[in-house]
């Protein structure tokens, strides 16, 4: 059905995840991310409730392994699912239920994890992992590069429909949160959306956050910046 | 002309000239005496002897005496001429007096600042640091009445106001100053202390302030008028500017003279140091918190890993030393402290640990969705027992099929979810161990079957005897053979093979429970078992044990027929016991009732069994034939009366009760029977013959 990657940026500490699937609006169901806390990414027969429940365990200070074990105990459909839990430290615990269709599997890397099912082959997962590791730059760009690499190899054997990317920075202020709900080429479209729109808020994310917190408009803020720069 | 009150510290640090000035005040009856310095067309107070009654309006009636271009003495006296004359006389050393006063004030400011910064600020590690620093600076520096502490935000690349004295937070928190913007920005970029005492210079310095920031600054300012003097200095750490402190003087004549600037120049490094210390402390606290979280996480992970490794090592050792399933179960229980039972596929418990009477499987366990799903996907499932307790069902998988269940009764409040992985791992070990044991048992059964066939055919040889010895069948022990016919309705869903397997397992378990050595195998659709007893055993004790064993066999939950042969001494006599057991089965079939038949307690039946049937019929006919005929002809039932009389051993009362007749009627019938059969029931021989005929009649007609 799906492949996805979750990661913690070693330099900034930001948590991010990207997912693609032959399932409309996949981004609405998974992943769940909270800045400085961790990520829950469920797929297969997605159980979106696992995200918020798991996040409360991570907030209590439980590790990825503890959280995964507790979530599995509470999920009667665990064998139908794939589930990644990434904790505060960037450590991942992953479970691939036996009832997911082949090719299925997961990879746990250093501060990242990849999972997938109904794949054309497990090479998709290797490509996603390797590309993420070998790409430089902000976490969202590394995630997108990894997703594109998986897409190039084949991705979901049933086809493609939706994709999403999320990176959390400040609680309550979405940093990167783009979705493609229905498209013949969702991953490529996701990449285009990011590339074309990142200048709007992502490039001056913290100015925007400060402006919102201070109760002033970002436009004024931007204008004054431009004025200073002589633009 | 205005002046700023000097603080108490200054008053306490007076020098000798202070006494001199006081003497002047007394001698010339001065109401007020103060020393002033003029700088940039402004005057500020260096020293004041007594400001108690001196008001701003008093300056109009004050007298002034210019010592030099920059220094002025101001005083109020009833007779100012006398004091003016005195000052003129002292003109040549008055500049020295002023320098001393200035030095004294400088000393006082320094001393106050250093003391307060060191005593008060050095121990502040909470959010009040910024406000406290501003308060100390404003209290200590003449002319300063308000201030801002700005911190550089690396993400936004702007200076944001962290704290303000004399400013409204609602507005100042919105101020975001670029590093090139205004006085604070310039101070940040140049990393220099800047002083603006001149209105023009101040306006120029503020020129680059953005309109938004300017508006916000004006709105934030709580002072009655805009600043007349501004002093700002950077907070630098390791060559990097972290923030800026801006002090303002709003009074008309506010001024930060050179001496104050010099003091601040020396102080700012110390302030930077304090700020660095404050930041380090905060970072340390944050790191400490992070470390605590990391420690907790590491501890949790380590604990679980250690448990996993311990269990792994224990199980490996147990398997290596062939300790068996019970020990494996004990190790699992000790590691998880969870009540567990290992059931085979027929739900017969193989081993338990930590369980009590309440730990039983729910009814129709195998029909529950959870159990069925668990068998289908060969993965663990949770079955809800009540609101607090769950049954963890872990299928024990053998060669591609579920061969049993490891069941754990868990409390949702106390169970460590990670222990589930330990139980799951242990279930795999149980599967391997069970498969190993099953393979051994199957081989044993096979071997035993082969030996048994050889015994049946009286084919004894050295190899066979050695194999028997290997199977723990001692040549000189006592043996008895058990033949078991099992019904096929153990469960409607279980096939014949399953029923046979269930029966064998049940039999093996019963033998284990009763500590009876033996082997179980199949032979021609039946289950055959050798039960062996040491040669030195007492036969009565063996008999008692077999009686108890029969009682246990009676508890078998389905239709079986069990025949147990005679106890034979010596391995080679097993054949006889086997034939006895088979005869017992035949007798059970004939009797159509009963589950177990022991040859040794079978009475006359097994003699009759071996006798010729025609002869038996003749015997019955000889002794009861006439009575049978009479009953048929007369449509009577005297044979039944005779049988009841025989069964009750000639007891008249019991017989009449059993037949519900009057005793006269019984006397009459007995008399009739004696007459028809030509016998005397009081005769022992006749009685014995009729009893035997009755027994044979029963045997033949059962």
């Amino acid at each position: 059905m799906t492949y996805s990657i979750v990661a913690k940026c070693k330099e900034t500490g930001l948590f991010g995840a990207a997912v693609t699937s032959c399932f409309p609006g996949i981004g609405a169901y998974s992943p769940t991310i909270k800045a400085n806390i961790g990520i829950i990414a469920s797929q297969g027969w997605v159980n979106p409730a696992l995200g918020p429940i798991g996040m409360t365990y991570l907030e209590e200070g439980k590790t990825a392994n503890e959280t995964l074990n507790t979530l599995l105990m509470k999920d009667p459909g665990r064998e139908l699912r794939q589930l990644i839990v990434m904790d505060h430290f960037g450590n991942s615990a992953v479970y691939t239920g036996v009832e997911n269709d082949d090719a299925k599997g997961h990879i746990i890397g250093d501060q990242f994890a990849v999972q997938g099912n109904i794949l054309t082959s497990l090479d998709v997962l290797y490509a996603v992992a390797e590309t993420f590791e070998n790409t430089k730059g902000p976490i969202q760009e590394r995630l997108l590069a990894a997703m594109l690499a998986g897409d190039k190899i084949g991705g979901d054997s049933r086809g493609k429909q939706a994709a999403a990317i999320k990176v959390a920075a400040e609680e309550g202020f979405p940093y990167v949160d783009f979705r493609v709900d229905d498209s013949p080429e969702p991953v490529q479209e996701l990449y285009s959306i990011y590339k074309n729109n990142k200048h709007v808020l992502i490039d001056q994310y913290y100015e925007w956050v400060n402006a919102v917190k201070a109760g002033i408009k970002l436009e004024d803020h931007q204008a004054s910046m431009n004025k200073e720069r002589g633009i | 002309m205005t002046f700023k009150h000097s603080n108490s510290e200054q008053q306490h640090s007076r020098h000798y000239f202070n006494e001199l000035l006081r003497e002047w005040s007394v001698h010339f009856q001065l109401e007020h005496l103060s020393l002033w310095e003029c700088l940039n067309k402004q005057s500020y107070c260096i020293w004041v002897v007594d400001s108690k009654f001196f008001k701003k309006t008093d300056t109009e009636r004050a007298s002034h005496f210019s010592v030099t271009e920059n220094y002025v003495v101001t005083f109020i006296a009833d007779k100012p001429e006398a004091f003016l004359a005195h000052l003129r006389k002292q003109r040549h050393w008055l500049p020295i007096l002023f320098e001393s006063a200035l030095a004294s004030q400088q000393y006082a400011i320094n001393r106050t600042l250093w003391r307060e910064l060191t005593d008060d600020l050095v121990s502040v590690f909470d959010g009040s640091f910024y406000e406290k620093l501003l308060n100390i600076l404003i209290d200590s520096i003449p002319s300063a009445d308000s201030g801002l502490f700005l911190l550089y935000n690396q993400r936004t690349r702007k200076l944001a106001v962290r704290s303000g004295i004399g400013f409204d937070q609602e507005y100042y928190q919105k101020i975001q100053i670029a590093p090139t913007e205004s006085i604070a920005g310039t101070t940040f970029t140049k990393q220099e202390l800047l002083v603006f005492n001149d209105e023009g210079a101040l306006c120029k310095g503020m020129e680059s302030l953005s309109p938004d920031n300017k508006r916000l600054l004006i709105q934030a300012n709580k002072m009655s008028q805009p600043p007349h003097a501004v002093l700002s200095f950077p907070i630098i750490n390791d060559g990097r500017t972290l923030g800026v402190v801006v002090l303002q003087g709003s009074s008309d004549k506010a001024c930060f003279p050179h001496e104050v600037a010099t003091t601040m120049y020396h102080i700012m490094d110390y302030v930077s140091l304090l700020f660095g210390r404050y930041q380090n402390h905060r970072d340390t606290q944050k790191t400490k918190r992070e470390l605590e979280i990391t420690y907790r996480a590491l501890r949790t992970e380590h604990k679980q890993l250690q448990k996993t490794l311990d269990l792994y090592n224990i199980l490996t050792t147990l398997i290596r030393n062939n300790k068996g399933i019970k020990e494996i179960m004990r190790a699992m229980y000790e590691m998880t402290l969870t009540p567990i039972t290992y059931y085979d596929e027929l739900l017969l418990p193989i081993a338990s640990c930590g369980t009590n009477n309440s730990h039983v499987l729910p009814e129709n366990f195998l029909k529950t969705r959870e159990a069925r799903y668990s068998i289908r996907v060969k993965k663990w499932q949770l079955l809800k027992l009540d609101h607090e307790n769950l049954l963890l069902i872990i299928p024990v998988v053998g060669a591609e099929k579920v061969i049993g269940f490891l069941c754990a009764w868990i409390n949702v409040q106390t169970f460590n979810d990670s222990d589930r992985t330990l139980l799951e791992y242990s279930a795999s070990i149980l599967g391997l161990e069970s498969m190993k044991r099953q393979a051994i048992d199957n081989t044993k059964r096979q071997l035993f079957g082969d030996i048994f066939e050889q015994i049946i055919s009286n084919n004894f040889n050295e190899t066979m005897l050695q194999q028997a010895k290997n199977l723990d069948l001692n040549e000189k022990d006592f043996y008895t053979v058990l033949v078991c016919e099992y019904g096929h309705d153990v469960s409607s869903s279980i096939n014949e093979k399953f029923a046979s397997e269930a029966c064998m397992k049940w039999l093996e378990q019963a033998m284990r429970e009763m500590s009876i050595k033996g082997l179980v195998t199949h032979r021609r659709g039946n289950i055959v078992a050798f039960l062996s007893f040491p040669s030195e055993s007492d036969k009565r004790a063996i008999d008692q044990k077999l009686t108890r064993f029969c009682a246990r066999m009676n508890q078998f939950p389905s239709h079986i027929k069990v025949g147990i042969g005679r106890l034979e001494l010596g391995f080679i006599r097993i054949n006889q016991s086997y034939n006895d057991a088979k005869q017992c089965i035949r007798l059970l079939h004939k009797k159509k009732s009963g589950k177990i038949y022991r040859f040794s307690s079978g009475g006359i039946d097994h003699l009759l069994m071996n006798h010729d049937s025609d002869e038996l019929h003749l015997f019955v006919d000889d002794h009861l034939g006439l009575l049978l005929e009479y009953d048929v002809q007369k449509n009577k039932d005297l044979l039944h009366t005779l049988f009841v009389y025989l069964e009750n051993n000639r007891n008249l009362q019991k017989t009449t009760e059993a037949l519900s007749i009057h005793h006269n009627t019984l006397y009459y019938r007995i008399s009739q029977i004696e007459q028809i059969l030509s016998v005397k029931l009081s005769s022992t021989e006749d009685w014995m013959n009729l009893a035997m005929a009755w027994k044979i009649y029963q045997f033949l007609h059962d």
Side-chain angles (χ1 to χ4, degrees):
Chain A
M1 178 181 169
T2 309
Y3 67 91
S4 57
I5 175 168
V6 308
K8 182 185 181 185
C9 178
K10 286 181 185 173
E11 286 163 18
T12 61
L14 297 182
F15 286 97
V19 57
T20 184
S21 168
C22 187
F23 188 82
I26 182 66
Y29 306 92
S30 180
T32 304
I33 305 183
K34 202 162 186 183
N36 302 315
I37 302 294
I39 306 172
I40 312 282
S42 130
Q43 60 183 46
W45 283 101
V46 183
N47 180 355
L50 295 178
I53 297 169
M55 205 52 76
T56 59
Y57 298 136
L58 290 176
E59 281 175 308
E60 284 168 12
K62 284 194 173 183
T63 63
N65 278 323
E66 281 182 290
T67 304
L68 180 78
N69 281 328
T70 306
L71 286 178
L72 291 179
M73 291 288 278
K74 289 183 185 301
D75 183 15
R78 66 190 80 85
E79 301 307 335
L80 297 163
R81 271 177 266 294
Q82 282 191 296
L83 185 64
I84 299 182
V85 179
M86 177 173 268
D87 63 20
H88 170 74
F89 309 100
N91 293 327
S92 297
V94 192
Y95 185 73
T96 297
V98 291
E99 294 218 81
N100 283 287
D101 291 320
D102 290 330
K104 59 175 181 278
H106 59 253
I107 297 168
I108 298 177
D110 181 9
Q111 307 277 291
F112 76 92
V114 184
Q115 61 181 355
N117 62 72
I118 324 183
L119 300 169
T120 48
S121 82
L122 290 180
D123 288 345
V124 174
L125 298 184
Y126 294 118
V128 172
E130 276 174 28
T131 309
F132 179 79
E133 277 191 304
N134 297 331
T135 306
K136 304 283 177 207
I139 184 171
Q140 60 269 24
E141 290 179 12
R142 295 175 68 199
L143 290 171
L144 283 168
M147 293 302 282
L148 285 169
D151 190 51
K152 197 175 170 186
I153 287 197
D156 190 330
S157 65
R158 284 182 316 173
K160 315 166 183 180
Q161 189 167 8
I165 180 168
K166 289 180 187 176
V167 179
E170 292 254 337
E171 182 59 25
F173 295 86
Y175 177 42
V176 180
D177 194 347
F178 289 130
R179 288 168 45 185
V180 175
D181 287 347
D182 189 2
S183 164
E185 291 296 343
V187 176
Q188 285 177 31
E189 197 172 324
L190 187 73
Y191 179 67
S192 298
I193 291 172
Y194 169 76
K195 201 172 63 176
N196 296 333
N197 296 284
K198 73 187 187 82
H199 72 277
V200 179
L201 280 184
I202 297 168
D203 285 347
Q204 59 265 344
Y205 173 75
Y206 291 104
E207 286 90 334
W208 168 66
V209 172
N210 268 357
V212 173
K213 283 181 178 172
I216 54 176
K217 287 182 186 173
L218 182 64
E219 286 80 9
D220 295 347
H221 200 72
Q222 191 63 37
S224 63
M225 281 176 67
N226 290 342
K227 193 180 170 186
E228 280 165 26
R229 292 168 188 161
I231 300 168
Chain B
M1 195 158 55
T2 61
F3 66 91
K4 182 177 171 66
H5 289 208
S6 56
N7 60 32
S8 56
E9 184 57 30
Q10 283 173 273
Q11 297 295 337
H12 292 147
S13 60
R14 289 171 177 170
H15 288 261
Y16 70 96
F17 66 87
N18 196 27
E19 288 304 313
L20 179 68
L21 295 179
R22 197 169 288 282
E23 272 179 40
W24 285 354
S25 295
V26 174
H27 185 77
F28 296 104
Q29 294 179 331
L30 303 177
E31 268 182 54
H32 168 79
L33 175 62
S34 55
L35 310 180
W36 295 78
E37 185 183 17
C38 302
L39 201 70
N40 298 328
K41 297 176 185 174
Q42 288 181 38
S43 302
Y44 68 97
C45 183
I46 301 168
W47 204 265
V48 61
V49 175
D50 189 356
S51 62
K52 196 175 174 184
F53 305 108
F54 190 68
K55 297 173 187 168
K56 197 175 175 182
T57 50
D58 292 338
T59 53
E60 288 170 12
R61 62 187 188 96
S63 302
H64 310 288
F65 177 77
S66 295
V67 179
T68 63
E69 196 179 317
N70 295 334
Y71 299 127
V72 174
V73 174
T74 298
F75 63 94
I76 299 172
D78 286 342
K79 294 172 181 173
E81 293 78 15
F83 186 54
L84 280 170
H86 179 74
L87 289 175
R88 279 189 208 100
K89 277 185 194 172
Q90 308 295 331
R91 182 187 294 271
H92 59 282
W93 66 271
L94 278 177
I96 298 166
L97 181 73
F98 272 84
E99 291 298 333
S100 298
L102 275 171
S104 174
Q105 189 186 28
Q106 182 78 29
Y107 171 77
I109 293 171
N110 278 346
R111 195 171 157 195
T112 307
L113 272 171
W114 284 111
R115 196 200 66 191
E116 291 198 15
L117 288 174
T118 306
D119 289 355
D120 295 351
L121 200 62
V122 83
S123 58
V124 175
F125 293 115
D126 57 18
S128 67
F129 175 87
Y130 307 97
E131 197 180 336
K132 204 146 199 166
L133 173 68
L134 286 175
N135 274 326
I136 290 170
L137 294 174
I138 290 166
D139 281 352
S140 309
I141 298 168
S143 284
D145 53 18
S146 58
L148 292 167
F149 194 115
L150 299 101
L151 274 181
Y152 183 66
N153 184 332
Q154 283 186 317
R155 285 172 167 173
T156 59
R157 298 178 297 280
K158 291 285 174 69
L159 284 160
V161 182
R162 183 67 180 76
S163 183
I165 302 289
F167 289 90
D168 189 338
Q169 188 181 2
E170 189 190 340
Y171 297 103
Y172 77 60
Q173 68 180 4
K174 297 179 182 178
I175 295 171
Q176 301 274 325
I177 293 174
T180 52
E181 194 178 335
S182 183
I183 295 168
T186 312
T187 307
F188 176 84
T189 309
K190 290 187 174 176
Q191 298 191 323
E192 284 176 1
L193 180 140
L194 300 176
V195 179
F196 297 87
N197 286 321
D198 176 68
E199 202 172 327
L202 190 57
C203 286
K204 201 173 175 185
M206 301 284 278
E207 216 170 40
S208 57
L209 195 65
S210 73
D212 277 341
N213 284 335
K214 196 170 187 176
R215 175 177 54 79
L216 290 166
L217 199 60
I218 291 165
Q219 285 174 320
N221 195 357
K222 284 180 180 174
M223 311 310 285
S224 54
Q225 49 190 341
H228 284 84
V230 170
L231 179 151
S232 75
F233 63 90
I235 306 287
I236 300 169
N237 188 14
D238 203 16
R240 202 161 55 89
T241 317
L242 304 176
V244 172
V245 176
V246 180
L247 298 173
Q248 293 189 167
S250 304
S251 63
D252 293 340
K253 303 296 179 188
C255 176
F256 297 115
H258 176 70
E259 290 73 23
V260 169
T262 308
T263 300
M264 288 315 302
Y265 181 78
H266 294 299
I267 289 288
M268 73 181 195
D269 284 343
Y270 185 60
V271 171
S272 293
L273 203 67
L274 285 179
F275 180 69
R277 190 168 179 272
Y278 165 68
Q279 271 201 326
N280 281 343
H281 184 267
R282 275 196 324 170
D283 290 348
T284 306
Q285 291 298 104
K286 193 181 167 190
T287 308
K288 201 176 161 189
R289 282 196 298 275
E290 287 280 319
L291 277 173
E292 275 170 14
I293 294 168
T294 310
Y295 169 77
R296 273 206 307 274
L298 268 175
R299 182 79 202 127
T300 309
E301 292 292 298
H302 172 78
K303 212 171 147 188
Q304 199 57 36
L305 181 66
Q306 191 58 51
K307 262 171 103 170
T308 309
L309 284 175
D310 283 350
L311 184 65
Y312 174 84
N313 287 332
I314 291 167
L315 294 183
T316 308
T317 309
L318 289 175
I319 290 166
R320 198 174 292 149
N321 296 332
N322 207 20
K323 290 288 182 184
I325 285 169
K326 275 188 181 167
E327 288 299 315
I328 292 173
M329 291 287 284
R330 185 174 300 155
M332 284 157 63
Y333 175 71
E334 280 170 4
M335 206 55 78
T336 60
L337 295 176
T338 306
I340 43 173
T341 298
Y342 174 29
Y343 296 94
D344 66 9
E345 66 265 53
L346 302 164
L347 303 185
L348 295 173
I350 296 169
S352 287
C353 251
T355 52
N356 57 37
N357 291 340
S358 67
H359 297 119
V360 288
L361 291 179
E363 275 184 34
N364 295 322
F365 168 76
L366 285 173
K367 289 182 181 171
T368 59
R369 193 187 66 82
E370 289 78 4
R372 281 187 283 126
Y373 186 73
S374 153
I375 293 167
R376 185 169 72 77
V377 300
K378 301 188 184 78
K379 295 288 282 184
W380 60 277
Q381 280 290 300
L382 286 167
L383 176 64
K384 193 173 178 181
L385 299 174
D386 56 50
H387 70 285
E388 260 202 342
N389 294 294
L390 299 168
L391 181 68
L392 174 62
I393 309 162
I394 305 174
V396 177
V397 183
E400 295 183 4
K401 68 171 188 133
V402 174
I403 58 169
F405 301 93
L406 174 64
C407 291
W409 285 263
I410 62 176
N411 182 297
V412 287
Q413 306 294 337
T414 55
F415 184 68
N416 176 3
D417 293 341
S418 299
D419 283 349
R420 192 256 312 147
T421 54
L422 298 184
L423 292 172
E424 211 180 351
Y425 170 72
S426 306
S428 308
I429 299 293
L430 282 178
L432 292 173
E433 184 65 15
S434 298
M435 275 168 57
K436 188 176 92 182
R437 290 192 171 269
Q438 215 166 34
I440 293 169
D441 287 349
N442 287 343
T443 311
K444 266 188 179 178
R445 282 177 189 169
Q446 183 65 43
L447 205 54
F448 174 58
D450 293 347
I451 291 171
F452 189 68
E453 289 300 328
Q454 289 182 52
I455 294 169
I456 298 294
S457 55
N458 280 325
N459 182 17
F460 294 99
N461 58 47
E462 277 302 311
T463 316
M464 187 266 272
L465 290 172
Q466 186 54 47
Q467 281 180 334
K469 208 171 180 182
N470 292 343
L471 288 169
D472 215 11
L473 300 173
N474 197 319
E475 207 179 334
K476 290 177 181 170
D477 278 351
F478 284 108
Y479 288 93
T480 184
V481 175
L482 177 151
V483 174
C484 175
E485 258 186 21
Y486 52 87
H488 295 170
D489 56 343
V490 173
S491 164
S492 56
S493 63
I494 301 175
N495 59 29
E496 187 183 336
K497 192 184 169 194
F498 210 56
S500 152
E501 192 67 25
C503 196
M504 286 176 84
K505 280 192 173 177
W506 198 91
L507 201 56
E508 283 170 341
Q509 180 141 342
M511 285 162 68
R512 272 198 301 274
E513 282 172 17
M514 309 272 313
S515 303
I516 295 174
K517 263 174 39 176
L519 288 168
V520 183
T521 189
H522 265 117
R523 189 167 196 271
R524 296 178 185 170
N526 287 338
I527 294 163
V528 179
F530 286 7
L531 311 184
S532 75
F533 304 91
S535 54
E536 64 275 12
S537 304
D538 175 23
K539 272 185 108 174
R540 271 182 61 192
I542 295 172
D543 188 64
Q544 284 168 2
K545 205 167 196 177
L546 281 171
T547 306
R548 287 199 303 277
F549 184 65
C550 287
R552 177 79 176 86
M553 292 291 291
N554 258 322
Q555 294 168 5
F556 187 75
S558 188
H559 300 298
I560 53 166
K561 289 190 190 304
V562 178
I564 301 175
R566 265 180 298 203
L567 191 68
E568 300 285 357
L569 184 63
F571 182 65
I572 56 169
R573 292 185 60 81
I574 284 176
N575 201 0
Q576 277 86 332
S577 188
Y578 174 63
N579 289 332
D580 295 345
K582 280 199 299 184
Q583 199 173 78
C584 290
I585 293 286
R586 285 202 299 277
L587 271 168
L588 281 171
H589 277 292
K590 191 164 180 49
K591 285 162 75 74
K592 292 176 188 166
S593 65
K595 215 172 195 176
I596 298 165
Y597 200 100
R598 273 183 73 188
F599 193 86
S600 57
S601 57
I604 199 166
D605 281 349
H606 54 260
L607 285 176
L608 299 176
M609 195 78 187
N610 290 327
H611 223 85
D612 182 52
S613 174
D614 291 343
E615 249 184 83
L616 294 176
H617 277 287
L618 279 171
F619 188 87
V620 172
D621 199 40
D622 287 348
H623 294 279
L624 297 173
L626 291 170
L627 194 61
L628 284 163
E629 275 177 28
Y630 179 85
D631 275 356
V632 173
Q633 284 169 7
K634 304 285 182 182
N635 198 22
K636 299 279 184 179
D637 200 7
L638 290 176
L639 186 66
H640 179 62
T641 304
L642 174 64
F643 287 170
V644 175
Y645 188 56
L646 287 168
E647 279 217 327
N648 287 296
N649 204 19
R650 289 181 278 195
N651 187 315
L652 290 171
Q653 192 179 344
K654 282 185 181 174
T655 309
T656 52
E657 279 172 11
L659 292 168
S660 304
I661 55 173
H662 193 267
H663 62 272
N664 284 338
T665 310
L666 181 62
Y667 286 141
Y668 174 71
R669 286 187 188 178
I670 288 170
S671 142
Q672 269 195 306
I673 290 167
E674 285 180 329
Q675 201 180 338
I676 292 164
L677 293 176
S678 305
V679 294
K680 281 286 175 193
L681 289 176
S682 53
S683 154
T684 307
E685 194 177 336
D686 286 347
W687 175 260
M688 284 287 287
N689 282 337
L690 285 175
M692 182 62 77
W694 153 235
K695 186 75 185 170
I696 294 168
Y697 181 88
Q698 268 190 322
F699 178 78
L700 291 173
H701 290 87
D702 261 348

